[in-house]
Amino acid sequence: MPVKVCAVSSETGKTARDLKRMKREGRKIVAVTAYDWRVGEIVDGCGVDLVLVGDSVGNVFAGLPSTVSVRMRDMEYHTRAVSRGVRNAHLCADMPFLSYQTGERDAVRNAGALLRAGARSVKMEISASRHIKAARAVTDAGIPVVAHVGLCPQSVNLYGGYGIQGCTPESADDIYRLALESREEGAVALVVECVPPALARRITSAVDIPTIGIGSGGGCDGQILVFNDLVGLTEGVPRFVRQYCEAGKIFSSAVEDYVREVREGTFPPPDGEND
Ligand code: KIV
């Protein structure tokens, strides 16, 4: 009699396999970043498919000029926090600068620490072939890798800015090659940041894993935005961002009301009035 094997997961949330199925079925993948448990819980409750604890935490949470100062202990702390709020989405955490560029051993150890903090996959910026070797080692250790190609913000000091990448035929071919090699070496998804839409489409149709675009047009299998950008908490967002509300203004107006009421003595209300 054939043995019936049931797929039982000890963890919660979508898996890399679920995301791959969404690509096959032509369903768009919606992804967003989160840095604390409550925002994790809110975006999870809105039905997003993937929550990324991005190293953009350095910019949007800590107010740093780039992501290069973000450390492993920052990523572990925020991943642990967000994991408390995320139940249904796939939780991915960024490998910060110098957590894998220094070699395969570091890559595996650091990726493992993010899994132990609650992530179900890690994202690695792939701006050179040797990063793919580190990604392969992480995959071989049993940890799903999302490969980030195109604009890799950890290399900002090499680029000299955050401009669109892949604008010449040679650089487009380089990014295309890194994307395909990442897939061959086991990546479960690709984040494609700030490349011309035609290149994003070319990558998307060449791979069987989902591509999640940011600033790369509408031809990817999904989209990702930084939470603070999409709710209007960031000032001076890139042109490709759509701000769905003005949370910065809503917060300011609430706190201004509070400041005024405390100063004029209308908050708290007179004793007994709120009972
Ligand atoms: O760190 C981050 O938030 C990211 C996304 C913008 C893709 O890498």
Side-chain angles (χ1 to χ4, degrees), residues 33 35 52 54-56 94 123 125 148 191 193 214 224 226:
T33 66
Y35 314 102
L52 172 72
D55 61 353
S56 51
D94 258 341
K123 177 163 78 59
E125 293 185 7
H148 180 144
V191 163
E193 179 162 357
I214 174 161
I224 183 162
V226 167

Side-chain angles (χ1 to χ4, degrees), residues 33-43 51 53 57 61 77-86 227-228:
T33 66
Y35 314 102
D36 65 73
W37 81 269
R38 181 62 184 127
V39 168
E41 187 176 61
I42 289 170
V43 299
V51 176
V53 187
V57 69
F61 181 88
Y77 180 81
H78 287 276
T79 300
R80 202 164 283 122
V82 175
S83 75
R84 294 203 183 97
V86 173
F227 175 81
N228 297 45

